[in-house]
Amino acid sequence: MPRITLPDGSVKAYDQPVFAFQVAQDIGPGLAKAALGCKIDGVLSDIGSLIASDCELSIVTAKTRDGALDDDALYLMRHSCAHVMAEAVQRVVPGVLLVYGPPVENGFYYDMYVPEDRPISSADFEAIEKEMAAIAGEDRPFARYDRPVAEGVEKLKDEGSKYKLDNAQRAIEAGSAELSWYTTGEPGKDWEDLCRGPHVPTTGRIGAFKVMSVASSYWHGDADSDRLTRLYGITFPDKKQLDEHLVRLEEAKKRDHRVLGKQLKLFYIDEAVGQGLVLWAPNGTIVRRELEAFILSELIRQGYQQVCTPHIGKLGLYKTSGHFPYYQNSQYPPLIHQEQMRVLVRDGCSCAELANLLREGDIDGYLLKPMNCPHHIKLFDSEPHSYRDLPVRLAEFGMVYRWEQSGEVGGLTRVRGFTQDDAHIFCTEDQVEQELMGCLELVNIIFNTLEMKDYRVRVGLRDKDSSKYVGEMENWDRAEAACVAAAESLGVPFKKEIGEAAFYGPKVDFIVKDVLGRDWQLGTVQVDYNLPERFDLSYIGADNQQHRPVMIHRAPFGSIERFVGVLIEHFAGAFPTWLSPEQVRVLPVSDKFLDYGKEVCDLLKAHGRRASLDDSSERVQAKIRAAQEMQVPYMLIVGGRDRDARTVSVRHRREGDVGAMPLDAFVEALDDEVRSKGEATVLEKLQVPA
RNA sequence: GCCACCGUAGCUCAGUGGUAGAGCACACCCUUGGUAAGGGUGAGGUCAUGGGUUCAAGUCCCAUCGGUGGCUCCA
């Protein structure tokens, strides 16, 4: 009979099977009342679970002992709230069929088939929430019942939802011996859903919730399959936490790079120019160029050579590389010269035929480059190479153009024209590991300098059962080992993912989250056995024989556009001084002191600082506010006292008024701050007693 | 590409089928000041674009373009 071990190590023994709820009751009625579920031998379960054998048991409540929100509790509430939302939707909108409603990070969703003549829109949220509140108010129990597979399938067939039947069949394929339902209330009478659970005890325990958004999705995530409606919601143990979450979301929206980009005049996207085509304003261009200069200085230190190549190349080049037509639906269509077009028309080529020629690539033309590698390969191949030359590392901030789907383009994170911090390393097999290390070292240096700690690393390895990969298997093994070793050297969490390798080689990807919690892949480092083959690249080895080099593609920050977008959010617009478009603004307290202000400003400019003078006839308070809104790191307030003593009164955008210091000392301290990229700061100097 | 929502001044947003609005920004005037908005006056609009309904459309309908969220995709 069950002996139940509790988290504190104590044991409760029962002489017959016991419900987890009863155990909680025996520990204390308060705990039983607060219980949302339990963990039996580490498996999250209903508090109504019957325990028949020895186990470890912990009771899940909304808060952990240290008062934080309990992740398991949130999971139970989200999952349960999804059920309640689904029931509410079915009350509000007739004809809705349920598909799938899991908890997700930050909430839950429910996928549903919704009749086409009655789409769900945000106008329905209020009614849905009202029904949800009613269902929660009824406080009906989440009751589980199981059916043997065959009986369960019959039941689902009777119910007539192909989606639920499909879910069941998937569960059966995964090895389920039984199918389970959860009724909110009485089985056979109240609302129910095929579900493996677990759930909170009653509908009254789903917490404070809100329907967030509606979106479309596809059944099985397949764009050719049925289109479903996905309703997103969130829930928290109480209203206060929900409200706090909503406030956090609002705060996050203010840090959105699209909002800050406008506010700080960094970049614009104009529909007259084109969707996903970024116009970098002067301020944004400064950030970009500083970043590029920084990356470049590290590249040069690592032995890279900088190259420049054009934005277009002949179609044939991309046929050799394989980019065309393999990736043609994510490319701008080929460009054809008008003379050639004239000849085609003269020879009776119809629009349909022309479209076909373009699609098949059976035509001379140029392509806006979707990648930089073919150009770099041609540069490498423009002269013979000895093994003594290798590795050859060619770097370029190269702009590439890709036809992204219209629904996916937005801000700086997904664009149609972007600048890769690209380089291609041509090396021997033996040099691969060392070169990978170099790439990751670069990532390390740059993320550390920018104080970006919150990124993750994914190592994409081949699926050994698949035949889609090119290259020698032993080279793959070595390259994969090298990728893993290099990732380990970074000292940040990384995950190996089987089957995520490119067909031509393994890779290491860097992924960050934006302010709204969405993942973005920044850079990638990829080993490539394919292109050297396609372009018949070679070098002369020590044995005087021709050998095939290995290529490494690496764009550790992906695109400068996306990277700057991520950086804007990372710094919430307050770039470190070395990156700031405007580093100092001089604010004379009255225009009597404009002369001195100008002198200060000119001195800063002579030192290479990006400084400006606010000569408006505003009060100093207003000038501060204006500078503050543009996130200028240092404001120098100058008046009579400063002029007479040849000082500046320093105000920092975060620290506020930090006191006066001699002008020359400030200029020098700021030089140090910029030069050291923030390792030394003006503020530190000010804290040193005079 | 798919679904929902949205598009009004440079920006943020109001606007019941009946004369186009506010705040900020901008220009000019007054104010000459010491750490997050001093005061006044003024200018600024093909209400995304194109059709339609109506005596009358920013408002209702359709299409197109663009934006937002998610799905799909992402070499």
Side-chain angles (χ1 to χ4, degrees):
Chain A
M1 287 294 102
R3 285 172 53 82
I4 295 169
T5 310
L6 301 172
D8 64 0
S10 65
V11 174
K12 284 201 179 297
Y14 292 85
D15 52 16
Q16 56 188 352
V18 62
F19 289 105
F21 179 77
Q22 185 59 49
V23 182
Q25 189 74 263
D26 293 345
I27 298 169
L31 180 66
K33 206 174 158 207
L36 290 167
C38 66
K39 274 186 140 170
I40 300 172
D41 287 333
V43 179
L44 191 60
S45 307
D46 294 331
I47 192 68
S49 301
L50 189 63
I51 300 171
S53 52
D54 292 2
C55 68
E56 288 182 7
L57 176 74
S58 61
I59 306 299
V60 174
T61 58
K63 282 184 179 173
T64 58
R65 284 185 183 182
D66 51 20
L69 287 181
D70 186 280
D71 287 341
D72 293 320
L74 279 175
Y75 180 96
L76 291 168
M77 291 173 62
R78 287 166 178 167
H79 191 185
S80 305
C81 199
H83 276 225
V84 171
M85 182 174 75
E87 180 177 356
V89 171
Q90 287 192 318
R91 286 189 187 181
V92 172
V93 183
V96 166
L97 297 179
L98 304 178
V99 182
Y100 181 55
V104 289
E105 191 179 359
N106 271 321
F108 57 88
Y109 66 79
Y110 214 112
D111 276 351
M112 293 162 282
Y113 170 79
V114 176
E116 273 174 35
D117 58 352
R118 177 57 177 92
I120 293 178
S121 82
S122 48
D124 297 310
F125 291 179
E126 207 183 314
I128 293 168
E129 285 170 355
K130 215 175 140 198
E131 281 304 324
M132 289 171 74
I135 295 164
E138 290 160 19
D139 203 23
R140 303 193 304 254
F142 274 89
R144 177 185 176 123
Y145 65 90
D146 298 301
R147 290 286 176 273
V149 163
E151 192 184 322
V153 167
E154 280 313 306
K155 175 175 157 60
L156 286 165
K157 280 183 180 161
D158 290 346
E159 287 170 7
S161 167
K162 64 172 178 175
Y163 305 109
K164 283 291 169 186
L165 188 58
D166 178 76
N167 286 353
Q169 271 150 1
R170 285 171 174 242
I172 293 162
E173 276 166 36
S176 289
E178 292 191 311
L179 297 175
S180 57
W181 273 261
Y182 276 82
T183 305
T184 39
E186 233 177 274
K189 178 167 162 268
D190 287 305
W191 189 88
E192 65 178 21
D193 191 8
L194 174 78
C195 178
R196 66 182 175 161
H199 284 285
V200 296
T202 68
T203 56
R205 308 293 293 279
I206 56 172
F209 53 81
K210 186 171 169 60
V211 179
M212 296 299 283
S213 64
V214 60
S216 100
S217 63
Y218 299 107
W219 194 25
H220 299 164
D222 176 0
D224 295 325
S225 190
D226 296 10
R227 187 185 58 70
L228 305 172
T229 296
R230 178 172 295 182
L231 208 53
Y232 282 87
I234 52 171
T235 184
F236 285 91
D238 63 49
K239 178 84 166 51
K240 183 163 162 273
Q241 287 152 339
L242 173 66
D243 290 342
E244 282 167 1
H245 179 79
L246 295 176
V247 168
R248 277 197 301 277
L249 283 181
E250 288 304 312
E251 293 296 317
K253 279 185 194 157
K254 290 181 198 157
R255 291 208 326 264
D256 188 317
H257 75 275
R258 292 165 298 195
V259 173
L260 288 171
K262 213 172 263 176
Q263 198 178 312
L264 303 176
K265 301 177 189 299
L266 297 172
F267 65 92
Y268 298 92
I269 293 165
D270 190 312
E271 67 176 271
V273 175
Q275 206 185 7
L277 299 173
V278 181
L279 304 174
W280 288 90
N283 283 349
T285 304
I286 288 169
V287 177
R288 251 189 89 126
R289 292 292 184 230
E290 287 290 349
L291 200 60
E292 288 172 1
F294 172 42
I295 293 172
L296 187 59
S297 69
E298 292 298 327
L299 288 180
I300 287 169
R301 196 182 53 73
Q302 284 196 352
Y304 284 77
Q305 296 168 292
Q306 202 179 12
V307 297
C308 288
T309 66
H311 287 218
I312 63 174
K314 277 186 165 176
L315 196 46
L317 180 69
Y318 300 99
K319 287 161 89 174
T320 303
S321 70
H323 294 120
F324 194 96
Y326 192 59
Y327 295 117
Q328 67 136 330
N329 58 1
S330 55
Q331 291 164 359
Y332 280 86
L335 310 160
I336 312 177
H337 191 265
Q338 49 186 329
E339 178 61 22
Q340 193 189 353
M341 193 81 91
R342 218 170 50 81
V343 170
L344 283 167
V345 169
R346 191 196 60 200
D347 295 345
C349 180
S350 69
C351 287
E353 283 161 346
L354 178 62
N356 207 33
L357 288 174
L358 289 173
R359 191 175 60 247
E360 299 301 322
D362 294 335
I363 195 167
D364 282 334
Y366 289 83
L367 208 57
L368 270 170
K369 66 178 175 185
M371 302 202 90
N372 298 304
C373 23
H375 286 159
H376 291 182
I377 286 170
K378 283 296 166 192
L379 261 174
F380 173 80
D381 207 25
S382 61
E383 54 182 36
H385 292 279
S386 151
Y387 72 98
R388 294 169 187 275
D389 303 335
L390 301 185
V392 169
R393 310 179 186 93
L394 303 179
E396 174 178 17
F397 294 107
M399 190 139 191
V400 297
Y401 299 87
R402 299 181 187 180
W403 186 265
E404 304 287 354
Q405 295 187 105
S406 62
E408 194 49 69
V409 173
L412 292 178
T413 40
R414 194 74 183 264
V415 293
R416 284 182 172 165
F418 59 91
T419 316
Q420 290 183 316
D421 63 316
D422 210 358
H424 295 92
I425 300 171
F426 302 85
C427 63
T428 68
E429 188 59 48
D430 292 339
Q431 291 167 330
V432 169
E433 177 163 354
Q434 180 196 334
E435 289 306 308
L436 287 176
M437 292 284 192
C439 294
L440 298 220
E441 184 202 354
L442 178 76
V443 171
N444 225 353
I445 290 170
I446 290 172
F447 277 165
N448 281 341
T449 304
L450 295 167
E451 293 183 335
M452 293 179 70
K453 306 271 180 246
D454 197 14
Y455 66 101
R456 56 194 180 83
V457 177
R458 177 176 63 202
V459 181
L461 305 175
R462 76 187 188 280
D463 173 1
K464 288 186 178 168
D465 296 330
S466 171
S467 58
K468 70 172 181 176
Y469 303 101
V470 301
E472 296 300 320
M473 287 307 120
E474 66 189 64
N475 286 345
W476 267 88
D477 288 338
R478 289 176 64 186
E480 289 190 345
C483 283
V484 171
E488 273 166 356
S489 75
L490 267 176
V492 299
F494 72 95
K495 207 162 92 186
K496 291 187 234 180
E497 291 188 23
I498 307 294
E500 284 301 305
F503 72 89
Y504 49 77
K507 59 178 186 168
V508 183
D509 296 328
F510 307 97
I511 297 146
V512 296
K513 270 194 196 313
D514 73 9
V515 85
L516 299 177
R518 296 175 294 200
D519 276 343
W520 294 103
Q521 181 177 324
L522 287 181
T524 180
V525 178
Q526 308 183 350
V527 183
D528 185 356
Y529 300 106
N530 179 46
L531 285 180
E533 198 78 33
R534 280 178 165 266
F535 281 93
D536 193 25
L537 299 181
S538 65
Y539 67 90
I540 305 296
D543 55 3
N544 200 28
Q545 299 292 306
Q546 290 210 339
H547 295 272
R548 189 77 75 203
V550 181
M551 264 179 84
I552 298 173
H553 306 247
R554 37 114 298 171
F557 305 101
S559 83
I560 300 293
E561 282 75 4
R562 182 177 284 179
F563 192 50
V564 171
V566 169
L567 267 192
I568 291 169
E569 298 185 357
H570 173 67
F571 292 120
F575 292 106
T577 308
W578 65 277
L579 276 175
S580 283
E582 186 178 352
Q583 296 168 322
V584 196
R585 191 177 293 184
V586 183
L587 316 179
V589 295
S590 122
D591 54 10
K592 283 185 204 140
F593 312 110
L594 273 178
D595 286 347
Y596 180 58
K598 187 161 187 314
E599 189 187 338
V600 170
C601 190
D602 286 346
L603 180 64
L604 286 160
K605 285 181 181 168
H607 278 253
R609 294 290 75 76
R610 296 184 286 268
S612 69
L613 176 69
D614 187 342
D615 59 0
S616 67
S617 60
E618 285 295 342
R619 298 167 63 201
V620 71
Q621 285 89 336
K623 293 182 180 184
I624 287 170
R625 186 181 157 90
Q628 198 69 58
E629 283 187 338
M630 289 304 281
Q631 302 282 8
V632 180
Y634 291 102
M635 289 155 266
L636 300 183
I637 288 129
V638 293
R641 297 200 295 266
D642 299 288
R643 182 189 54 195
D644 297 343
R646 216 176 152 70
T647 58
V648 289
S649 296
V650 182
R651 185 186 170 91
H652 183 264
R653 66 183 165 202
R654 290 281 179 268
E655 303 300 320
D657 184 359
V658 289
M661 72 190 286
L663 173 58
D664 294 332
F666 176 80
V667 171
E668 194 185 322
L670 191 62
D671 276 355
D672 287 345
E673 177 167 335
V674 170
R675 208 171 17 236
S676 70
K677 297 194 164 52
E679 271 186 37
T681 68
V682 172
L683 292 176
E684 285 162 18
K685 297 275 162 44
L686 274 158
Q687 278 154 11
V688 176

